[in-house]
Amino acid sequence: MMFGPMWLACCFALIRPSKLRDESRGVIAALWGSILLPLAVLSLVPHQEPRFLAPMIIPLCVLSVRARSGTVSSRVRNLKVGRGVGAFWIAFNILMAVVFGILHQGGVVRSARSLASSDFPFAQTSSVNAVFWKTYMPPQSVLAQPLDAVRVKITDIGGADAVTALTRLAALAAPPSAEDVADDPSCAAKIKDTVTILVAPPSAMGELRHVAYAAGLDFTPAAARFGPHVSFDHLPQTFSALAAARTVAEVIDAFVLATYVVTHRT
């Protein structure tokens, strides 16, 4: 996915018969070794990210150029084929730019930026605890709030399981204890004017609500929704949501990032 049609050019160069000197064959073997060996090793590592494959771009470029070499007649033929490959290459990169530049985790920055906006539903609240779940780490710089007057606090729990997420949410949304009120009488008023919201894909909420009922937590959907948003790290949940969708609104829910007000059930 990172290198697109370049892989096809390299494979073509591998199977294509050619007359190479021994030293050239050694260089080609070394290039393929520098691609396949790291790929095999990285495939065994539990944590995988596309950026880990970035060093492969140099040997891939060298091998793909070799696919265009040959006689004059073959170069003319390659020129005709190359136009089609070039068009495919451009289309592929435009598609990947849309997928990874707009769709993949697309709601994270938009939602983080909106937290400090005057148009946000909780803009008049003195304090906001925003918990991001099943998303990439949200950037806090977009909040643009002074360090001595932090109104929006972001907590990132990444891809934590539902029980861990519930524990963090319950602690943030918990009412003040009698000891806290005794030590600081204004504590109750401060917490009363604090809202805890969960920012997460709707497709993940079924897992959380399943364990939240016994803990006495409620999740009330808020008006703020951000899209398009697709998480390729949680595609099974997205596919399950699409398979269970019965209306257009439920289909849209699979591609947005939603906000929920977290409260303790009274």
Side-chain angles (χ1 to χ4, degrees):
M1 188 178 295
M2 276 190 65
F3 307 116
M6 191 180 296
W7 274 111
L8 300 178
C10 293
C11 292
F12 174 75
L14 179 65
I15 63 176
R16 175 179 172 222
S18 60
K19 297 180 180 180
L20 295 175
R21 294 179 297 178
D22 291 340
E23 56 269 24
S24 298
R25 293 183 185 276
V27 172
I28 298 299
L31 290 171
W32 274 110
S34 62
I35 294 172
L36 298 179
L37 183 59
L39 182 62
V41 173
L42 290 173
S43 298
L44 301 176
V45 179
H47 180 70
Q48 299 178 2
E49 294 185 26
R51 61 189 175 92
F52 295 164
L53 304 178
M56 298 180 186
I57 188 69
I58 296 177
L60 281 171
C61 286
V62 175
L63 289 172
S64 62
V65 169
R66 177 175 169 262
R68 296 298 304 274
S69 61
T71 63
V72 175
S73 59
S74 65
R75 289 178 182 175
V76 173
R77 185 167 58 252
N78 285 342
L79 180 61
K80 297 179 181 179
V81 175
R83 291 174 180 172
V85 173
F88 175 66
W89 193 301
I90 293 173
F92 175 85
N93 282 281
I94 292 175
L95 176 62
M96 291 298 102
V98 172
V99 169
F100 287 102
I102 299 176
L103 299 180
H104 182 50
Q105 298 287 340
V108 175
V109 175
R110 297 184 186 96
S111 59
R113 186 185 295 116
S114 297
L115 289 173
S117 171
S118 59
D119 297 330
F120 195 68
F122 309 105
Q124 305 306 317
T125 306
S126 61
S127 180
V128 176
N129 290 322
V131 181
F132 282 73
W133 185 47
K134 300 289 186 181
T135 70
Y136 278 4
M137 181 182 295
Q140 301 199 31
S141 58
V142 298
L143 297 176
Q145 54 185 350
L147 296 178
D148 57 346
V150 176
R151 190 182 71 86
V152 179
K153 299 177 182 179
I154 291 181
T155 302
D156 173 40
I157 54 178
D161 59 82
V163 175
T164 302
L166 184 65
T167 302
R168 297 292 298 274
L169 290 168
L172 289 172
S177 63
E179 291 79 5
D180 294 334
V181 175
D183 294 337
D184 183 6
S186 63
C187 175
K190 291 179 181 177
I191 294 181
K192 186 177 181 181
D193 200 28
T194 299
V195 62
T196 299
I197 63 172
L198 172 65
V199 184
S203 57
M205 292 306 297
E207 176 186 357
L208 191 61
R209 284 195 173 100
H210 181 71
V211 297
Y213 183 80
L217 286 183
D218 283 329
F219 299 95
T220 305
R225 295 160 65 87
F226 308 93
H229 177 91
V230 179
S231 175
F232 292 105
D233 301 294
H234 306 97
L235 280 179
Q237 292 178 337
T238 302
F239 290 148
S240 297
L242 289 174
R246 296 292 181 269
T247 63
V248 175
E250 291 177 345
V251 173
I252 295 176
D253 280 347
F255 301 104
V256 298
L257 198 60
T259 55
Y260 304 86
V261 181
V262 184
T263 56
H264 276 267
R265 193 180 305 113
T266 56

